[in-house]
Amino acid sequence: MRRGNDMTRYRYWSERQIRALERDNGLRLGRSWRIATAGTPGSMFGIPLPALGFQRSEVRERSRRQVADRVTAALREQTAVTYDEEYPVLFARGLGKVAFSAFTDGPARDKGVVLHTRIQSNSGQRVDLCLFGSLDNAADFRPGEALEGSSSSAWYAVAELLESRGQRNTSQWDDQGLAVEALEIALGDRERGEDGTSGDPWTRRWTLGHAIDVEWLAVIYSDVTLDRGRWRFDGGSALVGTQRIIVGAPVWVRAPGPRSVVRYADLRRAAASSPTGWRRLVSG
């Protein structure tokens, strides 16, 4: 999915997820070995023989790009790309816009981050992905940059979902209800403006920024399709039109360069100094 020969910059990288994938799937990701043979080549009856002597190995650390490409290739058959699969997906990959928000509830405290991206499947279904990770793994954002707001009452249930890798749900919400709560956290939907709408993303609580035209890979813990007759989102909700919600953890997010990232802390500072200052940062 990578385009051209642009230099890659990783906006999010989870070493913990990489090592878990390596361990669970028998991959060798961290280092490469080059075997060199020492000695003098010879021949017997005119047939060349390899060099005789001892062997030495040169250990080289693989780059993030090499590791990411090896993971992508190894998981290719298990990774959703078109999102037309009827069964729950195990891994997901995509290309497009990704929004970053702070997730400060639960054990992560001020070190949590949630990534959100929206995809339309080949069949036209809207798919929302909510990927919860660590702010320490994000290259562009720091604790305290987001505008603080109210907490979600479902944070402990979402934390349980993540810690158990989707294997446990002892909360009051069923799988669909918990997925909706996770999406509300990712969208900041509990933090609407006074006019009942969400407003510009950099004016909302918990939002950190977004990256455009980025490629990403995620491990998936929950994949639900909402029952049409059960959910009625009001007109001011960012959840209007939601059909399928996938919850998991980001492995990596990579972009062609730093200009693909918009930091909302910068937009807020620009707006405070000039009513139109933020427009320059958005347009690049």
Side-chain angles (χ1 to χ4, degrees):
M1 299 181 73
R2 189 172 59 246
R3 298 176 177 176
N5 295 316
D6 292 333
M7 295 294 292
T8 299
R9 295 287 299 273
Y10 283 86
R11 316 324 306 177
Y12 187 95
W13 180 269
S14 175
E15 193 68 26
R16 185 175 69 85
Q17 292 291 346
I18 290 290
R19 295 308 158 203
L21 290 172
E22 180 181 38
R23 181 178 62 253
D24 295 344
N25 296 275
L27 306 177
R28 299 180 68 175
L29 301 174
R31 295 181 175 181
S32 61
W33 284 263
R34 178 178 177 272
I35 305 299
T37 304
T40 303
S43 64
M44 180 177 293
F45 305 113
I47 301 174
L49 298 176
L52 303 176
F54 65 91
Q55 291 183 330
R56 59 187 175 84
S57 62
E58 297 178 0
V59 181
R60 298 179 179 178
E61 291 291 335
R62 289 195 175 97
S63 67
R64 285 184 172 182
R65 183 166 177 168
Q66 290 174 318
V67 171
D69 287 347
R70 287 176 69 88
V71 170
T72 300
L75 303 179
R76 189 179 303 278
E77 297 301 320
Q78 305 175 67
T79 303
V81 177
T82 63
Y83 299 92
D84 286 318
E85 299 85 354
E86 296 182 359
Y87 51 87
V89 301
L90 300 176
F91 305 96
R93 186 161 60 103
L95 178 69
K97 178 181 177 179
V98 174
F100 292 73
S101 299
F103 178 54
T104 62
D105 299 317
R109 299 298 178 185
D110 62 344
K111 292 298 184 68
V113 66
V114 55
L115 284 60
H116 172 258
T117 187
R118 185 168 289 163
I119 293 172
Q120 188 174 55
S121 71
N122 285 349
S123 61
Q125 184 184 51
R126 188 179 112 178
V127 183
D128 285 274
L129 290 99
C130 314
L131 309 175
F132 291 81
S134 171
L135 198 57
D136 289 338
N137 297 329
D140 304 286
F141 310 107
R142 298 292 180 268
E145 288 188 345
L147 299 173
E148 294 187 6
S150 60
S151 299
S152 168
S153 60
W155 69 263
Y156 72 93
V158 173
E160 180 184 55
L161 174 71
L162 301 174
E163 291 170 0
S164 68
R165 298 188 172 215
Q167 300 302 306
R168 187 170 63 252
N169 180 8
T170 61
S171 71
Q172 68 192 66
W173 294 276
D174 63 5
D175 291 344
Q176 289 192 37
L178 184 54
V180 169
E181 293 292 332
L183 182 56
E184 287 187 343
I185 291 173
L187 294 175
D189 201 42
R190 63 191 187 279
E191 297 292 347
R192 298 186 213 166
E194 294 181 359
D195 59 354
T197 62
S198 296
D200 293 325
W202 54 89
T203 66
R204 299 203 305 268
R205 308 296 180 179
W206 303 122
T207 57
L208 291 166
H210 69 257
I212 58 175
D213 199 26
V214 294
E215 185 182 356
W216 51 268
L217 178 73
V219 180
I220 304 306
Y221 303 145
S222 172
D223 179 1
V224 301
T225 298
L226 301 183
D227 296 334
R228 292 186 178 181
R230 175 179 173 183
W231 301 96
R232 294 285 190 272
F233 303 115
D234 62 67
S237 172
L239 278 72
V240 172
T242 298
Q243 296 175 286
R244 182 178 178 183
I245 304 173
I246 297 177
V247 182
V251 180
W252 47 258
V253 176
R254 61 187 178 190
R259 292 179 66 85
S260 62
V261 177
V262 176
R263 301 178 66 255
Y264 294 165
D266 294 338
L267 293 183
R268 287 191 287 268
R269 282 193 293 269
S273 61
S274 170
T276 60
W278 59 270
R279 297 183 187 275
R280 294 192 299 272
L281 295 176
V282 173
S283 61

